[in-house]
Amino acid sequence: MATLQLTDYQNPIILLKPSLNTLFTRKNRTFHAPRASLQQPSLNRRQFVAETAAISLSLAPLIGFVEPAKSEVALSEWERVYLPIDPGVVLLDIAFVPDDSNHGFLLGTRQTILETKDGGNTWVPRSIPSAEDEDFNYRFNSISFKGKEGWIVGKPAILLYTSDAGESWGRIPLSTQLPGDMVYIKATGEKSAEMVTDEGAIYVTSNRGYNWRAAVQETVSATLNRTVSSGISGASYYTGTFNTVNRSPDGSYVAVSSRGNFYLTWEPGQPYWQPHNRAVARRIQNMGWRADGGLWILVRGGGLYLSKGTGITEEFEEVPVQSRGFGILDVGYRSKDEAWAAGGSGILLRTTNGGKTWTRDKAADNIAANLYSVNKVNEQA
């Protein structure tokens, strides 16, 4: 299973962050959201379809206390489930065990780890003794499973590993000299994983994390500052970090600079990240991979662009979307034809023709928060 990009998953999951700590589920699919009260009961959801995967959409935090709508109209696409977390917790990633679609984990800030063993109907806090340190309040950024093996990374630098589908987790020591914060991990095979930091370092292991090999020769800052005449707008004397980073099924990456003024790509075997000028005037909000191997770009202000053809390119064309003036923050593809886009003020869009046209789904219209992330889980079988 994996948390990013595949073509055969069927169960989107939406994660809505504070202040609505609730879980929403699409019929025969799941999706989450923080709720405003810790005591609200869980809502029943339809049985989680076995051997499927999911997309997760998260809602960014809002200032103040938001009450759930008093009357919620039942919608054909999504249902709602509540989560036992504090209003200030930010949900960041989700994954299910490939061999058991009922067993999953949900990560967030403030050392939040939730676990479900009933397909997402109910979630309970999970305590991992090896991750409890009175001097740190960990932010768990990413989780990934392959078979029964699972990995979690967080900030400050922490790496957790399980070989028994999450029944027990052990902590693997990491060097204090790692460049940047670990923001993403991908389980790639037996005892193997790939880890990425927000400064562009990529490390791979094949022995349960006891040793790591650098896949790139230098950080993004070093690459850009060494090639200041590269012609990339905003790249000279770059000292920032990634705003977003997304991995394709074949192991390629696309990342957006912290200010959104250019983007970078990396393919397996390349010694350095490759910078690219953005194809549009507005700054980039996010980028990712389509199910057919092409790229999508979201720009600030709500614009959506799709690359011409597949693979890495700098040629994009705009696609009209009904964003109602709110920004679109993320996109996730279920197949080459179907995808979901999410954004500000509960914007939720769906395409069934590969992204050529989009229609609005009103599932989150009553949610006073921003849908900020779309993540696919349970990719590996």
Side-chain angles (χ1 to χ4, degrees), residues 32-365:
H32 306 263
R35 60 186 171 90
S37 171
L38 297 179
Q39 302 301 321
Q40 293 176 355
S42 297
L43 297 181
N44 292 327
R45 59 184 286 285
R46 297 178 187 273
Q47 181 179 3
F48 188 92
V49 177
E51 298 179 358
T52 57
I55 292 179
S56 66
L57 300 170
S58 338
L59 296 179
L62 298 177
I63 297 175
F65 185 91
V66 180
E67 289 285 333
K70 293 183 179 179
S71 60
E72 296 180 3
V73 179
L75 298 171
S76 61
E77 290 293 325
W78 304 95
E79 298 174 18
R80 185 172 183 170
V81 177
Y82 294 93
L83 299 177
I85 57 178
D86 295 330
V89 170
V90 177
L91 302 176
L92 298 174
D93 203 6
I94 186 172
F96 281 78
V97 178
D99 298 333
D100 183 359
S101 60
N102 288 318
H103 190 193
F105 293 86
L106 180 59
L107 307 183
T109 59
R110 301 184 185 179
Q111 297 194 181
T112 296
I113 299 180
L114 300 180
E115 183 177 18
T116 180
K117 292 188 176 181
D118 60 7
N121 282 304
T122 57
W123 296 82
V124 296
R126 173 67 185 272
S127 176
I128 299 178
S130 58
E132 294 176 355
D133 191 319
E134 61 182 14
D135 295 327
F136 295 107
N137 193 355
Y138 290 105
R139 170 191 178 102
F140 294 117
N141 288 322
S142 179
I143 181 172
S144 180
F145 278 95
K146 185 76 171 180
K148 292 185 177 182
E149 292 184 88
W151 306 78
I152 293 175
V153 293
K155 173 186 177 181
I158 186 171
L159 173 63
L160 303 176
Y161 171 81
T162 179
S163 59
D164 56 10
E167 295 301 324
S168 62
W169 293 85
R171 184 169 179 174
I172 296 177
L174 289 171
S175 169
T176 58
Q177 304 301 316
L178 283 176
D181 297 318
M182 292 179 296
V183 294
Y184 176 73
I185 194 162
K186 166 75 173 180
T188 56
E190 184 179 358
K191 301 179 182 180
S192 301
E194 193 170 273
M195 180 172 64
V196 184
T197 76
D198 61 358
E199 292 189 11
I202 302 175
Y203 295 98
V204 295
T205 183
S206 57
N207 59 2
R208 292 181 56 176
Y210 291 112
N211 301 104
W212 294 85
R213 175 181 59 83
V216 293
Q217 295 183 11
E218 60 189 12
T219 64
V220 171
S221 294
T223 296
L224 296 177
N225 295 333
R226 180 173 50 80
T227 58
V228 293
S229 59
S230 62
I232 303 301
S233 176
S236 298
Y237 305 107
Y238 173 83
T239 57
T241 57
F242 291 157
N243 184 42
T244 64
V245 58
N246 284 302
R247 186 184 189 273
S248 73
D250 66 4
S252 299
Y253 285 90
V254 60
V256 177
S257 68
S258 55
R259 293 188 295 171
N261 50 347
F262 63 96
Y263 67 97
L264 308 103
T265 59
W266 181 83
E267 298 177 276
Q270 290 183 333
Y272 312 111
W273 285 84
Q274 306 298 312
H276 303 267
N277 278 311
R278 66 181 189 270
V280 296
R282 286 178 287 174
R283 299 203 175 200
I284 302 172
Q285 179 71 42
N286 197 2
M287 290 186 68
W289 302 89
R290 303 197 306 264
D292 64 1
L295 289 166
W296 51 262
I297 287 182
L298 298 174
V299 298
R300 297 178 187 180
L304 170 62
Y305 293 76
L306 301 180
S307 65
K308 298 179 180 180
T310 61
I312 296 172
T313 181
E314 294 184 4
E315 296 185 7
F316 292 80
E317 53 187 4
E318 187 171 11
V319 177
V321 290
Q322 301 174 6
S323 63
R324 298 186 296 169
F326 297 100
I328 301 174
L329 303 179
D330 205 7
V331 175
Y333 274 78
R334 298 183 61 202
S335 66
K336 290 183 178 181
D337 294 322
E338 186 178 0
W340 292 86
S345 193
I347 287 293
L348 187 58
L349 304 169
R350 182 193 186 201
T351 180
T352 56
N353 56 15
K356 296 177 182 178
T357 59
W358 296 77
T359 56
R360 187 164 66 90
D361 188 308
K362 298 181 180 180
D365 277 8

Side-chain angles (χ1 to χ4, degrees), residues 9-40:
Y9 65 89
Q10 300 179 8
N11 298 332
I13 294 185
I14 292 186
L15 299 175
L16 309 182
K17 291 169 66 173
S19 49
L20 288 170
N21 305 332
T22 56
L23 169 74
F24 285 78
T25 68
R26 189 179 179 188
K27 290 187 176 180
N28 294 329
R29 302 164 175 89
T30 35
F31 87 101
H32 306 263
R35 60 186 171 90
S37 171
L38 297 179
Q39 302 301 321
Q40 293 176 355

